Amino acid sequence: MAGRKTTYADVAVAAGVSVGTVDRVINARGSVQPETEALVMHWARELRLDRALHQRPTRILRLGVLLLNRSDPFLEALVGGLQKAVLDYRYLNLQVRVFEYGKLDARHIVEKITMVEQTCDGIAINAFDDPAIRLRLSEFTRLKPVFTLVSDLPDTNRIAYIGASGQIEGRVAGELMARFLGSAGGQIILISGPGSFLGHGSREFGFRSVLMERFPSCTVSASLQSFEDKRIIRRQVGLMLKQHPEISGVYNTSVGSEEVGDVLRDLGREHSTVFITHELTEKNRRMLQVGILDAVIDQDPVGEARMLVQSFLSFYGRLETERTETGFRIYIRESCSS
C-alpha cells in the first residue's frame, strides 16, 4: 500500500470483517467478540493504520486472576507484580482483578471461575488438577482466554502456562542435593505438596529422575505429603528423623520450610543434614544465612506477573510477546550473606 494511507476498508479486507466492525474496535464502541477484536487490532498494526495506535484509548480489558487464599510470600509477591505491571501498561487500558478461593474443593473453584467469566475478559488460574475444573476452563476458552499460573492444567485449551518448569526445578534440586551429599550419597526425605497440583508432582518427578539417572548412591527413602499443613510437616519430619538417624538430606517442594528448619535445629542436625527448598522468602533467606538451608530454588513471581499481563495483552492484539516460560534462580549461603 505504498503511496497511500491505510483505510478501515483495508483492515476489514485483511481481517475478513466488515468496515463497521473495524470502526467499533478502533474507536472502542464495543459489541465485538474478543477474538475478533484481537484479529482487527493485529491487522491494524500490520497495515500501520495508525503509527500511534497502541496509544489510542480502547475499551478496558479486565484480567481475572484466581489464586488460593492463604498467607504465602510467593503469592503476595505475585499480586504485587501484577499491580506494578498494570501501572506499567496503564496506557493500554488494562485492569487486573484478583479473586481467591478458600478451600481445595473443585465445586467451589468452578463457581469462582464462573464469577470471573461474568466480569472479566480472561482468566489466569493457579489451581489443582480436577476433571470438573478442567471442563469448566475448557468451556471458558470458547469465549475468552485462559492462562495457567505456577502449576499447569493441561487439556484445557489454555493459551499458555506462565511460570517456570517444575520438572527442571526438580532436576536442579536433585543435582544440588547429590553434589552437597558428595560421592558417598545418602538417604533423603522428600516433602511434596498435594499431588493434584501438577507443579509439585513435576518437581518430585524431576528430582527423582536425576537421582536415578546420575546419582544412584542418593536415594529417596521417605516421601511425605504436606497437605499444605505446616503442623503436619513439623510432626512427620521430626518423627522420621528420630526413627532414621541415617537420613542425610531433606528436599521440600511445598510449604513449611521454617518448620523443617526448626526440627533440624531442635535435633542438632541443622549443619549435618542437607536441606533444599523453593522460594526465597525472608525466613528462608535467614535460614540460608545461618547455614540451616543449603540452597533455595527461587521462581520470579514479579517476572511471572509481568509475563502474564504481556501475554494477556498480546492475545487481544495490544502488545506483542511470544515468551511465556520464565526462569528461576539458585541461592546459596554466599549469595545471601547480607
Side-chain angles (χ1 to χ4, degrees), residues 245-270:
E246 70 277 9
I247 288 172
S248 53
V250 178
Y251 171 47
N252 182 22
T253 75
S254 184
V255 300
S257 292
E258 184 180 13
E259 284 67 26
V260 175
D262 289 343
V263 170
L264 292 175
R265 189 187 296 108
D266 292 344
L267 296 177
R269 300 187 55 163
E270 67 269 34

Side-chain angles (χ1 to χ4, degrees), residues 14-53:
V17 299
S18 69
V19 174
T21 297
V22 174
D23 176 71
R24 286 196 297 276
V25 172
I26 299 302
N27 294 294
R29 303 187 196 281
S31 301
V32 179
Q33 289 293 321
E35 58 270 25
T36 303
E37 177 182 340
L39 182 65
V40 170
M41 293 297 289
H42 167 77
W43 281 109
R45 287 188 173 84
E46 285 290 309
L47 300 177
R48 298 185 179 182
L49 177 67
D50 183 342
R51 292 180 183 273
L53 186 62

Side-chain angles (χ1 to χ4, degrees), residues 33-34 62-66 97 99 109-125 135-146 316:
Q33 289 293 321
R62 295 178 174 86
L63 171 63
V65 180
L66 182 56
R97 292 189 60 192
F99 298 77
I109 294 174
V110 165
E111 291 173 355
K112 290 288 185 176
I113 293 171
T114 300
M115 185 183 302
V116 176
E117 184 179 44
Q118 292 169 349
T119 58
C120 298
D121 301 292
I123 187 173
I125 182 171
L135 175 61
R136 186 66 191 86
L137 289 174
S138 295
E139 294 170 348
F140 194 111
T141 61
R142 294 172 187 171
L143 297 175
K144 299 173 183 178
V146 170
Y316 281 102

Side-chain angles (χ1 to χ4, degrees), residues 208-241:
R208 290 178 180 273
S209 296
V210 79
L211 295 185
M212 291 177 61
E213 293 166 12
R214 297 175 45 217
F215 304 100
S217 62
C218 299
T219 59
V220 176
S221 60
S223 182
L224 306 180
Q225 170 60 255
S226 74
F227 298 102
E228 300 286 279
D229 189 323
K230 297 179 181 180
R231 294 170 299 178
I232 292 177
I233 293 173
R234 181 190 294 272
R235 183 171 62 252
Q236 288 186 330
V237 172
L239 182 63
M240 185 63 63
L241 289 175

Side-chain angles (χ1 to χ4, degrees), residues 55-328:
Q55 298 176 349
R56 185 187 301 278
T58 56
R59 76 177 180 90
I60 296 174
L61 285 177
R62 295 178 174 86
L63 171 63
V65 180
L66 182 56
L67 303 172
L68 177 61
N69 178 17
R70 75 177 186 202
S71 177
D72 184 305
F74 177 84
L75 295 182
E76 290 173 0
L78 183 69
V79 172
L82 288 169
Q83 293 169 344
K84 184 178 186 305
V86 169
L87 289 176
D88 290 344
Y89 292 107
R90 58 186 178 273
Y91 67 93
L92 294 177
N93 224 352
L94 168 72
Q95 290 183 359
V96 172
R97 292 189 60 192
V98 176
F99 298 77
E100 297 178 339
Y101 60 93
K103 52 187 176 180
L104 300 180
D105 177 79
R107 185 171 60 179
H108 174 62
I109 294 174
V110 165
E111 291 173 355
K112 290 288 185 176
I113 293 171
T114 300
M115 185 183 302
V116 176
E117 184 179 44
Q118 292 169 349
T119 58
C120 298
D121 301 292
I123 187 173
I125 182 171
N126 174 31
F128 60 92
D129 190 24
D130 180 270
I133 294 173
R134 280 189 275 111
L135 175 61
R136 186 66 191 86
L137 289 174
S138 295
E139 294 170 348
F140 194 111
T141 61
R142 294 172 187 171
L143 297 175
K144 299 173 183 178
V146 170
F147 302 88
T148 52
L149 274 173
V150 187
S151 187
D152 198 8
L153 290 170
D155 303 322
T156 56
N157 295 320
R158 50 104 172 109
I159 297 299
Y161 162 63
I162 309 294
S165 166
Q167 185 171 335
I168 295 176
E169 285 183 303
R171 290 185 66 87
V172 168
E175 172 96 12
L176 291 170
M177 178 66 73
R179 292 188 178 277
F180 277 122
L181 289 175
S183 58
Q187 296 186 35
I188 303 161
I189 296 175
L190 192 156
I191 306 167
S192 182
S196 53
F197 277 90
L198 299 185
H200 290 299
S202 296
R203 286 173 176 174
E204 179 174 350
F205 178 78
F207 184 82
R208 290 178 180 273
S209 296
V210 79
L211 295 185
M212 291 177 61
E213 293 166 12
R214 297 175 45 217
F215 304 100
S217 62
C218 299
T219 59
V220 176
S221 60
S223 182
L224 306 180
Q225 170 60 255
S226 74
F227 298 102
E228 300 286 279
D229 189 323
K230 297 179 181 180
R231 294 170 299 178
I232 292 177
I233 293 173
R234 181 190 294 272
R235 183 171 62 252
Q236 288 186 330
V237 172
L239 182 63
M240 185 63 63
L241 289 175
K242 289 176 183 177
Q243 293 178 342
H244 302 278
E246 70 277 9
I247 288 172
S248 53
V250 178
Y251 171 47
N252 182 22
T253 75
S254 184
V255 300
S257 292
E258 184 180 13
E259 284 67 26
V260 175
D262 289 343
V263 170
L264 292 175
R265 189 187 296 108
D266 292 344
L267 296 177
R269 300 187 55 163
E270 67 269 34
H271 300 307
S272 60
T273 302
V274 177
F275 181 22
I276 296 173
T277 191
H278 293 261
E279 314 315 339
L280 189 67
T281 65
E282 282 305 310
K283 291 177 180 178
N284 283 348
R285 181 186 292 274
R286 287 196 293 270
M287 287 196 290
L288 272 176
Q289 291 170 341
V290 299
I292 297 174
L293 262 171
D294 293 275
V296 170
I297 299 169
D298 185 56
Q299 292 189 73
D300 179 11
V302 175
E304 289 178 11
R306 188 175 188 84
M307 186 60 63
L308 168 62
V309 166
Q310 290 175 343
S311 298
F312 176 68
L313 290 169
S314 175
F315 176 85
Y316 281 102
R318 297 188 184 183
L319 202 66
E320 292 186 8
T321 184
E322 295 180 354
R323 189 169 65 90
T324 55
E325 186 172 294
T326 60
F328 54 86

